[in-house]
Amino acid sequence: VQLQASGGGLVQTGGSLRLSCVASGRTASSAAMGWFRQAPGKEREFVAGVTWNGGETMYTDSVKGRFIISRDNAKNTVYLQMNSLKPEDTAVYVCAARDNFIASMPRDWAFWGQGTLVTVSS
């Protein structure tokens, strides 16, 4: 599976952004998809994940109620709608894919895209 992320940028505190990740490859539509982020000097952390059919989602506690992950398998695209953004959300956001269910540990994800930078100004 190949992944291409986009949609990052600079936004003020309280603003919104929507990230997109287009997947290609013969197993793209059957893979669980996820978003991770990595801030400077910090480890990569799980943000959100969605199962292949969109039936199950998972979020890290710090983004619950603010971020929404969704997917459109007809377009092989997964989205991350980010609302009420905070300066601590500033990071490089990376999309990932894996077989079967969602996992929160980076080591459990087989496929990675390039990152897109999100900067939230205070």
Side-chain angles (χ1 to χ4, degrees), residues 3-4 11 21 24 31-32 34 40 55 58 61 83 92 94 100 105 115:
L3 305 169
Q4 181 73 36
V11 64
C21 179
S24 59
M58 182 186 298
D61 286 346
N83 302 318
V92 174
V94 184
N100 301 320
M105 297 300 294

Short mmCIF file of all heavy atoms in Angstrom, two decimals, residues 3-4 11 21 24 31-32 34 40 55 58 61 83 92 94 100 105 115:
data_model
loop_
_atom_site.label_atom_id
_atom_site.label_comp_id
_atom_site.label_asym_id
_atom_site.label_seq_id
_atom_site.Cartn_x
_atom_site.Cartn_y
_atom_site.Cartn_z
N LEU A 3 0.89 5.46 0.33
CA LEU A 3 0.08 6.47 0.99
C LEU A 3 0.61 7.86 0.68
O LEU A 3 1.83 8.09 0.73
CB LEU A 3 0.08 6.24 2.50
CG LEU A 3 -0.36 4.84 2.96
CD1 LEU A 3 -0.06 4.65 4.43
CD2 LEU A 3 -1.84 4.64 2.68
N GLN A 4 -0.31 8.79 0.42
CA GLN A 4 0.07 10.17 0.11
C GLN A 4 -0.83 11.08 0.93
O GLN A 4 -2.02 11.17 0.68
CB GLN A 4 -0.12 10.45 -1.38
CG GLN A 4 0.26 11.85 -1.80
CD GLN A 4 1.75 12.09 -1.82
OE1 GLN A 4 2.53 11.20 -2.15
NE2 GLN A 4 2.16 13.28 -1.43
N VAL A 11 -2.54 27.33 11.16
CA VAL A 11 -3.88 27.73 11.59
C VAL A 11 -3.78 28.32 12.99
O VAL A 11 -2.89 27.96 13.76
CB VAL A 11 -4.84 26.52 11.55
CG1 VAL A 11 -4.42 25.44 12.52
CG2 VAL A 11 -6.28 26.94 11.76
N CYS A 21 -5.50 11.49 3.10
CA CYS A 21 -4.48 10.50 2.79
C CYS A 21 -5.05 9.56 1.73
O CYS A 21 -6.03 8.86 1.99
CB CYS A 21 -4.07 9.72 4.02
SG CYS A 21 -2.83 8.44 3.72
N SER A 24 -3.09 3.71 -2.33
CA SER A 24 -3.12 2.96 -3.59
C SER A 24 -2.49 1.60 -3.36
O SER A 24 -1.71 1.42 -2.42
CB SER A 24 -2.37 3.72 -4.69
OG SER A 24 -1.02 3.94 -4.32
N ALA A 31 -7.63 -2.31 4.18
CA ALA A 31 -6.70 -2.05 5.27
C ALA A 31 -7.30 -1.11 6.31
O ALA A 31 -8.06 -0.21 5.96
CB ALA A 31 -5.42 -1.43 4.72
N ALA A 32 -6.95 -1.32 7.56
CA ALA A 32 -7.22 -0.31 8.58
C ALA A 32 -6.29 0.87 8.30
O ALA A 32 -5.16 0.69 7.84
CB ALA A 32 -6.97 -0.87 9.98
N GLY A 34 -4.77 4.76 9.73
CA GLY A 34 -4.56 5.53 10.94
C GLY A 34 -3.77 6.79 10.70
O GLY A 34 -3.12 6.95 9.65
N PRO A 40 8.38 17.97 17.46
CA PRO A 40 9.83 18.03 17.62
C PRO A 40 10.27 17.53 19.00
O PRO A 40 9.72 17.94 20.02
CB PRO A 40 10.13 19.53 17.46
CG PRO A 40 9.03 20.03 16.60
CD PRO A 40 7.82 19.25 17.01
N GLY A 55 -16.44 1.08 10.18
CA GLY A 55 -17.37 0.72 11.25
C GLY A 55 -16.85 0.94 12.65
O GLY A 55 -17.63 1.01 13.60
N MET A 58 -11.03 4.75 16.54
CA MET A 58 -10.32 4.85 17.81
C MET A 58 -9.56 6.16 17.83
O MET A 58 -9.04 6.59 16.80
CB MET A 58 -9.35 3.67 17.97
CG MET A 58 -8.59 3.65 19.27
SD MET A 58 -7.33 2.33 19.31
CE MET A 58 -8.37 0.87 19.13
N ASP A 61 -6.84 10.02 23.72
CA ASP A 61 -7.70 10.82 24.60
C ASP A 61 -7.63 12.32 24.33
O ASP A 61 -8.63 13.04 24.43
CB ASP A 61 -7.33 10.56 26.06
CG ASP A 61 -7.80 9.20 26.54
OD1 ASP A 61 -8.64 8.58 25.85
OD2 ASP A 61 -7.33 8.75 27.60
N ASN A 83 -10.73 19.88 14.56
CA ASN A 83 -11.42 21.09 15.02
C ASN A 83 -10.86 21.53 16.36
O ASN A 83 -10.20 20.76 17.05
CB ASN A 83 -12.92 20.80 15.14
CG ASN A 83 -13.53 20.34 13.83
OD1 ASN A 83 -13.23 20.86 12.76
ND2 ASN A 83 -14.40 19.34 13.91
N VAL A 92 4.12 16.98 12.84
CA VAL A 92 4.02 16.38 11.52
C VAL A 92 3.05 15.21 11.64
O VAL A 92 3.25 14.32 12.48
CB VAL A 92 5.39 15.89 11.03
CG1 VAL A 92 5.25 15.13 9.72
CG2 VAL A 92 6.35 17.07 10.85
N VAL A 94 1.24 11.93 10.03
CA VAL A 94 1.59 10.87 9.08
C VAL A 94 0.45 9.86 9.04
O VAL A 94 -0.09 9.49 10.08
CB VAL A 94 2.89 10.15 9.51
CG1 VAL A 94 3.29 9.13 8.46
CG2 VAL A 94 4.01 11.15 9.74
N ASN A 100 -6.18 -5.85 8.97
CA ASN A 100 -7.06 -6.17 10.10
C ASN A 100 -7.39 -4.97 10.96
O ASN A 100 -7.74 -3.92 10.47
CB ASN A 100 -6.43 -7.30 10.94
CG ASN A 100 -6.22 -8.55 10.13
OD1 ASN A 100 -7.06 -8.93 9.31
ND2 ASN A 100 -5.08 -9.20 10.30
N MET A 105 0.13 1.19 18.51
CA MET A 105 1.59 1.26 18.53
C MET A 105 2.13 1.40 17.11
O MET A 105 1.76 0.63 16.22
CB MET A 105 2.17 0.01 19.18
CG MET A 105 1.77 -0.15 20.63
SD MET A 105 2.31 1.23 21.65
CE MET A 105 4.09 1.02 21.55
N GLY A 115 4.90 12.75 5.75
CA GLY A 115 4.18 13.57 6.70
C GLY A 115 3.68 14.87 6.10
O GLY A 115 4.14 15.33 5.06
#
